[in-house]
Amino acid sequence: MARETCVLNTRRALCSSIGINAILFTVLLVLQCVQYDIKKDDDNSMQSVTEQFSATDQSKNYYSDLSVSNDTICVDCGYLGKNISAEETLYNRISISKNGSQMCCLEDKSLASLVRKVLKIGDGEKPIDKDYFSWWRQRPNSAHLYLKDWYRTQLHWTATEETGSAFSKLSIVDQNKLVIKKTANYFVYAAVVFDFRTVIKVPQVYYNITSFLPVLPHLQPFVLMGKYGGSPFSEKRHTGYLCGISKFYKGHQISVSVNDHSFIDNTPYANFFGIFRL
């Protein structure tokens, strides 16, 4: 019974947070994309949906993998396959872009405002009503941070920025580590963007999420590890994303590390680190 309750709580927590995490992760991939328009699709099953978007072209801002209106966000979701329906996803509807990309659309005014602010498009310079994110910011035993800077071997994170999406209900030590205050199962995640356009060959880089419990220094740490580069076919830009579920005890310190900071792209909102209790 306890196991079923844990699974149920995990599913609910992931569903409530998957929306904003998916949008933030998508934003990292589209900051330098070109603009595009929406057109009608020849497929009758998609035509009515496409017409709804075409009717309001003047109020939208478009990129090759993303479109944003006042209350709707559409992201490229071709990886889901041509036969996927909106009912099988967490999105509200699916459309087709002018260049033939399959777009999954989510109706959420607060997330649309956040994306417009991050991308600085349209009315993105206007203040965001932070009450929109009360469900996100008021979760106990959780945090969502953005990269501020780094010093020597440490990445420094911040919970203060203008969109209202960053926050921390946990203590932050040395601007680097989140300190767990209640023993429980947690979902932890981090994204780091690398830019290798200044070098001819992409070197290998390593990025990790680790834990440390000071009262039990010999306890085996929780570790998520990622590696990228070293191949002549490696792309010059890469987003390293890590996530996992683990039981953390009171006092556990959770941190993110990168072996070479010289290739980190410190564009605002590109790099983030977060955790929430399940």
Side-chain angles (χ1 to χ4, degrees), residues 23-24 27-28 31 63 111-121 124-125 128 146 161-163 165 267-270:
I23 296 303
L24 288 172
V27 168
L28 306 181
L31 289 175
Y63 294 78
L111 293 182
S113 297
L114 171 62
V115 173
R116 292 167 68 88
K117 185 72 172 180
V118 170
L119 297 179
K120 296 183 179 180
I121 54 179
E125 296 301 323
I128 289 181
Y146 293 111
E161 46 75 54
E162 59 184 0
T163 70
S165 58
T267 300
Y269 310 107

Side-chain angles (χ1 to χ4, degrees), residues 199-225:
V199 297
I200 297 176
K201 181 181 178 181
V202 177
Q204 282 191 349
V205 291
Y206 299 86
Y207 45 98
N208 309 309
I209 299 178
T210 59
S211 68
F212 175 68
L213 187 59
V215 296
L216 295 174
H218 300 296
L219 180 68
Q220 184 175 359
F222 166 80
V223 180
L224 286 173
M225 303 179 65

Side-chain angles (χ1 to χ4, degrees), residues 102-163:
Q102 180 172 283
M103 308 293 289
C104 291
C105 302
L106 180 69
E107 297 177 356
D108 190 304
K109 185 175 181 179
S110 60
L111 293 182
S113 297
L114 171 62
V115 173
R116 292 167 68 88
K117 185 72 172 180
V118 170
L119 297 179
K120 296 183 179 180
I121 54 179
D123 60 355
E125 296 301 323
K126 296 180 180 179
I128 289 181
D129 185 353
K130 294 185 179 181
D131 288 341
Y132 285 149
F133 297 107
S134 59
W135 63 271
W136 172 256
R137 298 173 59 87
Q138 293 177 7
R139 294 174 299 161
N141 303 292
S142 62
H144 182 81
L145 313 175
Y146 293 111
L147 184 64
K148 180 180 180 182
D149 54 41
W150 51 82
Y151 178 70
R152 294 185 178 178
T153 61
Q154 285 192 348
L155 299 178
H156 292 164
W157 304 92
T158 180
T160 303
E161 46 75 54
E162 59 184 0
T163 70

